[in-house]
Amino acid sequence: MNAGIVSNCWQAQIQQGVSLESLVVQARDRGYVAIELRQGCLGDCESSDDLVPDVERLSELAAACDGLTWDLALGYPCFAPGNAGDDAVFTAGCQAIGPLAAGRTPHLRLVDLQTDHTRVATAEAADTVLRLLTAVRRVGGLLSIEHAREDWGWFREVFDRARTAAGPDRDWLKICFDPCNLLLAPGEPDPATVTAGLAPAEISMIHFKQRRDGQPWPAVVEGEVDWAAVVRAINGMGDGQGFPGPYLFEIAPSPEVWECLDGSRVFLDRLGLEMGLGGGRNDRTDPEEFVETSS
């Protein structure tokens, strides 16, 4: 089983006062095995003003919800030239991933929504990524970087440069791959084509979400991403061996998040993606019906 959830799926529930711990427990009870804790949707596990992860509270969360694989995700300027990673947010992130790992590999994921990549040379950005990787390796961790809105070729060159420069630590730097984010990239590269060009060994996880009419959608169904083509590309990775996961849902928040997750599982199961969960609790229902009240 290799399916998971990113905590920003639960934004509506967290804003209503539902505890992050209870949501994680529900996810585990439904068969999800991986949880990505996204900064901004950590409930009482981060400061309310500057969203600094609370190391003690995250450690308590992991202890209360055992049997899961965790990673901590930060919105962080990982491509900004000269960024030394010495601020409160990154420092807390590095401190938190060890207790979260609970004997597994500590894992920090970064996505840069601040840096204007058109003004940064790939060599400068790669130097920053390498500095941050070095800090994550000090706590025995894996660093994943996610493509957000950058030109895909630019992002790929930064990743390759940083990985080469990392030498023996190169395999501790991976891509958190989100095909839907490619819709926001210059030139709108085809998600299936990009997916087919990736090697399983350089990916830490794949995110699943959808857009319709330019907006995030509350379930993975038909839409702007041709998920049928992307799933074929995923299954064809590694000379047909596919990608072993984890696969994490990052659907848009909604009051009916569990129903939308069930519908998303149905949809992907019908496309032939092996997530280890089957088709969900409502596997005979049209996935579109799950999002009628959420869209």
Side-chain angles (χ1 to χ4, degrees):
M1 291 174 26
N2 51 22
I5 301 174
V6 186
S7 67
N8 50 3
C9 293
W10 298 321
Q11 185 177 46
Q13 288 70 32
I14 291 172
Q15 290 177 343
Q16 292 171 354
V18 180
S19 74
L20 180 60
E21 180 178 329
S22 68
L23 292 164
V24 170
V25 168
Q26 286 185 69
R28 184 183 61 185
D29 290 347
R30 288 169 174 261
Y32 295 96
V33 298
I35 301 295
E36 180 167 275
L37 298 169
R38 178 63 163 91
Q39 180 192 32
C41 288
L42 301 183
D44 63 357
C45 292
E46 63 187 347
S47 61
S48 58
D49 49 356
D50 49 6
L51 304 183
V52 176
D54 186 319
V55 177
E56 183 176 353
R57 289 289 298 120
L58 288 173
S59 179
E60 292 171 352
L61 175 67
C65 305
D66 60 353
L68 295 167
T69 299
W70 307 83
D71 74 276
L72 178 63
L74 305 176
Y76 190 76
C78 59
F79 300 134
N83 185 355
D86 55 0
D87 55 278
V89 169
F90 186 77
T91 299
C94 288
Q95 292 173 343
I97 57 176
L100 276 173
R104 296 183 174 90
T105 301
H107 188 176
L108 186 67
R109 193 265 285 180
L110 305 177
V111 60
D112 192 339
L113 300 175
Q114 302 176 42
T115 305
D116 181 355
H117 80 282
T118 65
R119 297 176 177 272
V120 179
T122 56
E124 291 181 298
D127 285 345
T128 298
V129 172
L130 183 60
R131 279 193 296 273
L132 301 179
L133 172 63
T134 300
V136 173
R137 290 301 300 137
R138 292 194 193 105
V139 296
L142 167 72
L143 176 64
S144 293
I145 57 174
E146 180 181 11
H147 169 270
R149 304 164 183 162
E150 304 87 8
D151 176 86
W152 175 255
W154 183 93
F155 174 89
R156 181 74 219 205
E157 184 176 344
V158 169
F159 174 77
D160 289 340
R161 280 177 174 268
R163 216 166 188 240
T164 298
D169 282 336
R170 68 187 309 274
D171 290 335
W172 294 95
L173 176 65
K174 294 184 183 291
I175 296 171
C176 167
F177 184 54
D178 189 323
C180 193
N181 283 355
L182 292 168
L183 300 179
L184 304 175
E188 297 184 10
D190 175 57
T193 301
V194 173
T195 303
L198 294 169
E202 61 191 7
I203 307 171
S204 61
M205 69 188 96
I206 298 179
H207 282 180
F208 290 80
K209 62 191 181 196
Q210 183 60 286
R211 294 176 73 88
R212 282 184 173 178
D213 300 323
Q215 299 300 317
W217 203 250
V220 182
V221 290
E222 295 290 347
E224 294 175 25
V225 176
D226 182 355
W227 275 110
V230 173
V231 167
R232 286 194 296 272
I234 292 172
N235 289 338
M237 284 181 176
D239 295 324
Q241 297 300 307
F243 175 66
Y247 302 127
L248 280 82
F249 287 109
E250 197 183 14
I251 57 176
S254 77
E256 294 79 23
V257 65
W258 297 112
E259 291 80 5
C260 289
L261 286 165
D262 281 348
S264 300
R265 285 162 52 178
V266 172
F267 179 75
L268 292 170
D269 182 67
R270 291 177 180 174
L271 294 182
L273 187 73
E274 294 293 336
M275 302 188 76
L277 284 166
R281 297 189 176 196
N282 301 285
D283 57 5
R284 290 185 298 275
T285 306
D286 186 337
E288 292 284 358
E289 294 183 14
F290 291 106
V291 297
E292 287 301 319
T293 60
S294 303
S295 58

